[in-house]
Amino acid sequence: MQSKSMKIVGIMSGTSMDGLDLALCEFKIQNGQVSFSLLASQTIAYEPAWKEQLQTAYNTSAEFYFKLHSAYGAFIGQQVNAFLVKHQQTTDAIASHGHTIFHQPQLGFTTQIGCGATIAAKTGITTVCDFRSLDVALNGQGAPLVPVGDRDLFHQAESCLNIGGIANISFTKNNKISAFDICIANMALNYLTETVGKAFDDGGKMSASGNCDNALLQSLLKLNTQQQSLGREFFENHFLPLLNSSTSSLNDKLATCVEYTVLQISETLNQQQLNSVLITGGGAYNTFLIERLKHYYKGIIEIPTDDIIQFKEAIIFAYLGYLRLNENTNTLSSVTKASRDSIGGAVYLGNK
C-alpha cells in the first residue's frame, strides 16, 4: 500500500439510531502496514425531531427527502466544526457514511442521506460520502463494507462481531475474508423500549426480567436472513409484523428478541468454527444478551475498550475514506458479491 499519513474524521449513523458517531483518526503506513490512532471521539445524541425525521424519511415526498438530505448534511457539517473546536484538532478530510434511508440493492439502489457537498461547504474540508452506490452499480449488495477495516486495523481478532441495529460479522479463514449480516438485533430491542419512552434496554435489565415466548421465537427463527443485506425494509416488512402480532408483555418480547439474536449469532460462530470473537456495538453493553450468548457459544468472547465498542464503525469509515483518497481498494467483491473490487465514495473538495 502506497499511501500518505492523514487525519480523517469518520462519521457513522447506524440503524440503531443511537446518534451521530464522530471519530478523528490518524492513519500511518509503516513497512507496508497501516496503523491508526484514535485522537478524539464523540457521540451526538439525536434530538427527538431529528430522530423522527430520519425514521420517517422513507415515507415522505421527494421534495421533503431532498430538503432533509441537505439539512442533515448541514447538521453533520456543524457537528464536525464544533467537534474539532472542542477537541482542538484539525483534519485532512471527512468520511461520512450518512444515514441509510433506502437500501434495496436487488433493485439497483441504496441511499444514505447527509449531503456530502453541503458538509464540504459548511466545513471547508474535503468530504468523502456515498460509499455504497458504486458497489451496488456493480451488482453488489453495497454491504458489508467494514471487512477491509477489520482485516487491516483489527487483524489480531479471529472474528469481529458488531451488535448494532443489525448483527454482522467479519472473519478470515484460509486467507479468504468472509463477512455478512446475521440478523436483526438492537433495531428490535430499541423499537420495543421506545414504546415506553426508553431509548434502549439498559444492561438488558428489562429483557432479563421477561420470559421467552417460544411461539414468537420460532416464528422469528423461520425468517430467512441468510445471504441478505439487512436493513429497515427487512425489519419493517418481515420482522415487525411478527413482533406486533404477539400478545406477550413488553419484557417477554424483549427476552424473546434477545434469545433470537443470540441463537442466530451463536449458530454462525459455531458453524464457522470460530474460537474467539471481538464484540463491538451497543449490544456489547447488554449484559443479559452477552450472558445468553455465552450459554450457546463456548468460545472466547472479547469485549474491547469503550472507545472501540462505541466508535469502531466510525473508525472504519474514516479508514474507508483514507483508502478512497489514496485511490486504494476499499470495497471487496468477495463479500459484497459485486462483479469486481472497487474504490467507493464520492469526493467533494474543501478549500484549496
Side-chain angles (χ1 to χ4, degrees):
M1 180 187 294
Q2 299 297 319
S3 303
K4 61 182 180 180
S5 299
M6 296 182 75
K7 291 199 296 183
I8 299 182
V9 177
I11 304 174
M12 181 67 195
S13 176
T15 51
S16 59
M17 295 289 292
D18 295 332
L20 190 69
D21 292 335
L22 294 90
L24 174 62
C25 304
E26 183 171 21
F27 299 99
K28 295 181 179 179
I29 302 294
Q30 293 179 324
N31 301 321
Q33 296 292 317
V34 65
S35 64
F36 80 96
S37 300
L38 181 59
L39 304 179
S41 56
Q42 185 177 349
T43 296
I44 311 298
Y46 287 128
E47 295 290 337
W50 269 120
K51 199 165 187 177
E52 181 181 358
Q53 289 184 89
L54 293 174
Q55 287 177 326
T56 59
Y58 73 95
N59 198 28
T60 57
S61 68
E63 180 183 16
F64 180 87
Y65 172 85
F66 282 105
K67 283 182 179 178
L68 184 62
H69 179 53
S70 177
Y72 187 57
F75 170 76
I76 292 174
Q78 291 162 1
Q79 297 304 324
V80 170
N81 287 336
F83 172 75
L84 294 173
V85 170
K86 176 180 178 179
H87 295 281
Q88 298 181 315
Q89 294 281 354
T90 60
T91 187
D92 297 304
I94 296 166
S96 178
H97 171 269
H99 188 85
T100 299
I101 302 300
F102 302 107
H103 183 66
Q104 298 194 45
Q106 73 280 5
L107 298 179
F109 68 90
T110 182
T111 60
Q112 288 73 43
I113 67 167
C115 177
T118 303
I119 297 171
K122 293 292 183 181
T123 62
I125 300 168
T126 293
T127 299
V128 187
C129 62
D130 192 19
F131 284 93
R132 301 184 187 274
S133 289
L134 178 56
D135 184 79
V136 170
L138 291 168
N139 298 315
Q141 291 291 301
L145 299 186
V146 298
V148 171
D150 287 341
R151 179 195 67 188
D152 295 350
L153 306 180
F154 298 95
H155 50 81
Q156 73 281 3
E158 182 184 14
S159 62
C160 293
L161 172 69
N162 184 72
I163 308 178
I166 307 294
N168 51 67
I169 193 167
S170 172
F171 58 90
T172 302
K173 289 183 70 174
N174 302 320
N175 295 318
K176 179 185 176 182
I177 296 177
S178 295
F180 46 86
D181 289 342
I182 298 175
C183 63
I184 300 294
N186 292 341
M187 190 182 290
L189 300 178
N190 294 355
Y191 168 82
L192 290 169
T193 59
E194 284 174 359
T195 63
V196 291
K198 295 185 177 181
F200 57 92
D201 182 9
D202 187 13
K205 296 182 182 70
M206 295 172 67
S207 306
S209 67
N211 295 304
C212 180
D213 177 341
N214 192 59
L216 174 59
L217 175 63
Q218 294 307 315
S219 296
L220 295 175
L221 289 173
K222 288 177 183 177
L223 294 174
N224 179 25
T225 60
Q226 295 183 351
Q227 306 300 316
Q228 291 194 57
S229 179
L230 303 175
R232 177 193 55 77
E233 290 93 340
F234 180 88
F235 175 68
E236 294 192 350
N237 294 333
H238 302 285
F239 197 103
L240 200 53
L242 296 176
L243 203 57
N244 287 338
S245 66
S246 170
T247 57
S248 292
S249 69
L250 172 61
N251 288 355
D252 286 355
K253 286 183 179 181
L254 285 165
T256 304
C257 287
V258 166
E259 200 71 3
Y260 163 79
T261 299
V262 299
L263 281 170
Q264 297 285 70
I265 291 172
S266 61
E267 181 181 22
T268 297
L269 294 172
N270 292 326
Q271 279 185 349
Q272 299 297 331
Q273 299 181 322
L274 297 168
N275 297 314
S276 64
V277 61
L278 177 75
I279 300 181
T280 57
Y285 292 117
N286 189 321
T287 304
F288 179 64
L289 187 151
I290 299 299
E291 286 176 355
R292 294 303 298 157
L293 180 59
K294 288 178 179 178
H295 179 76
Y296 296 107
Y297 172 66
K298 302 307 179 184
I300 298 171
I301 291 177
E302 181 184 355
I303 307 295
T305 57
D306 283 346
D307 55 353
I308 299 301
I309 291 175
Q310 296 177 37
F311 298 103
K312 178 170 173 280
E313 286 196 304
I315 291 168
I316 289 181
F317 272 95
Y319 182 58
L320 296 179
Y322 173 74
L323 293 173
R324 170 64 183 88
L325 292 170
N326 285 284
E327 298 187 0
N328 288 311
T329 297
N330 63 3
T331 309
L332 304 175
S333 58
S334 62
V335 294
T336 67
K337 310 306 179 187
S339 58
R340 62 171 173 84
D341 292 351
S342 60
I343 304 173
V347 179
Y348 293 92
L349 297 180
N351 297 334
K352 293 294 183 183

